[in-house]
Amino acid sequence: MAQPVSTEVYSRDAVYRQMRRQIIDFTLLPGELLSENTLAAQMHTSRTPVREAIARLACEHCVEVFPQRGTQVSRISMQLMHHAAFLRLVLEREVVEHLCRTGLTDGQAEELEQSLARQRALYAERQSYELLEEDLRMHGLFYRYCGRERAGDAFTAIDCDLLRTCYLKIVTYSYQPNVAAARGWESHLTEHRLILDALRRRDYEALRFTVQQHILQVEQEGDHLRRIYPQYFCA
């Protein structure tokens, strides 16, 4: 008989997910000091789940803990962002090569199309965090289809700064007609379309090139975003 899940276990995971979201969507700003008491009150829980969430987030470089001084949201490190982009590029090149060899099933192709359609809908509705989540879910499907989910999980340990840069890219360059289209998230969605088409054709050369451009484009925008938001980045 399955054991019931305790409220404390659920609360701990829920607090972690909520805090991670608030860091990635800049509800909690880089450099902001965190109070366990305030966070616990806001989330209607005790300090213990908050403290455990902070420890987990510190391992993912989302927050910094200073003994005797407190905890603050980490500023975006260009070095960590480059590391995350490098790891994602290496992993996804292997993943898409595997998918090119094996091919997609009809069900897999349909699931990817549905994800892309949902991304376009979220983009139209300006739901930026949900758009980023669906983007990650689509990439997670690539790992799942070739049985490499655990490899994808490894990326989560260092992806905070890359995801915050992605979020800044969405809210800074998208939804504005006077901003160059190449910098908006629309170009990201177009690359997803190209990736799915190349997967259907099993065209590895086209896929390899598009995946590389897809991942490195966000990395390259980091320098420009740092000039716009210097307060969010490490010196």
Side-chain angles (χ1 to χ4, degrees), residues 4-23:
V5 178
S6 73
T7 303
E8 187 73 11
V9 169
Y10 171 78
S11 178
R12 183 167 60 240
D13 290 341
V15 168
Y16 161 77
R17 290 193 300 271
Q18 180 66 8
M19 286 184 64
R20 182 175 165 88
R21 172 180 179 146
Q22 290 179 340
I23 289 169

Side-chain angles (χ1 to χ4, degrees), residues 18-183:
Q18 180 66 8
M19 286 184 64
R20 182 175 165 88
R21 172 180 179 146
Q22 290 179 340
I23 289 169
I24 290 171
D25 73 6
F26 290 83
T27 301
L28 296 173
L29 296 173
E32 182 174 342
L33 292 174
L34 301 178
S35 162
E36 290 182 5
N37 288 331
T38 300
L39 289 167
Q42 289 173 345
M43 299 184 190
H44 308 289
T45 188
S46 68
R47 290 176 58 190
T48 299
V50 173
R51 190 177 303 118
E52 292 174 347
I54 286 173
R56 188 171 171 185
L57 291 164
C59 292
E60 297 174 359
H61 309 285
C62 297
V63 301
E64 295 176 283
V65 180
F66 302 99
Q68 311 305 319
R69 291 170 52 196
T71 301
Q72 71 175 32
V73 179
S74 65
R75 288 183 168 83
I76 298 172
S77 162
M78 295 294 290
Q79 183 180 40
L80 283 177
M81 188 188 70
H82 291 321
H83 287 333
F86 173 78
L87 177 60
R88 187 173 186 179
L89 181 58
V90 170
L91 289 173
E92 295 202 6
R93 277 176 175 167
E94 295 299 315
V95 166
V96 297
E97 181 179 10
H98 177 92
L99 291 176
C100 274
R101 289 198 306 267
T102 61
L104 295 173
T105 67
D106 290 343
Q108 290 168 347
E110 178 59 26
E111 189 172 23
L112 290 169
E113 291 291 348
Q114 289 173 357
S115 176
L116 181 54
R118 176 162 170 74
Q119 289 171 59
R120 289 202 170 277
L122 291 168
Y123 180 78
E125 295 164 4
R126 302 190 178 191
Q127 296 188 43
S128 301
Y129 184 81
E130 290 75 13
L131 172 60
L132 185 57
E133 275 194 319
E134 188 61 31
D135 176 284
L136 290 172
R137 194 182 80 83
M138 171 183 270
H139 285 267
L141 292 175
F142 298 150
Y143 292 89
R144 195 183 83 197
Y145 294 160
C146 61
R148 298 290 188 273
E149 296 96 331
R150 295 297 295 274
D153 291 344
F155 174 66
T156 305
I158 62 168
D159 70 353
C160 182
D161 288 353
L162 183 61
L163 295 184
R164 286 193 286 180
T165 302
C166 287
Y167 187 85
L168 281 180
K169 176 180 170 69
I170 295 172
V171 299
T172 302
Y173 301 137
S174 303
Y175 320 133
Q176 301 180 48
N178 61 330
V179 174
R183 284 199 154 131

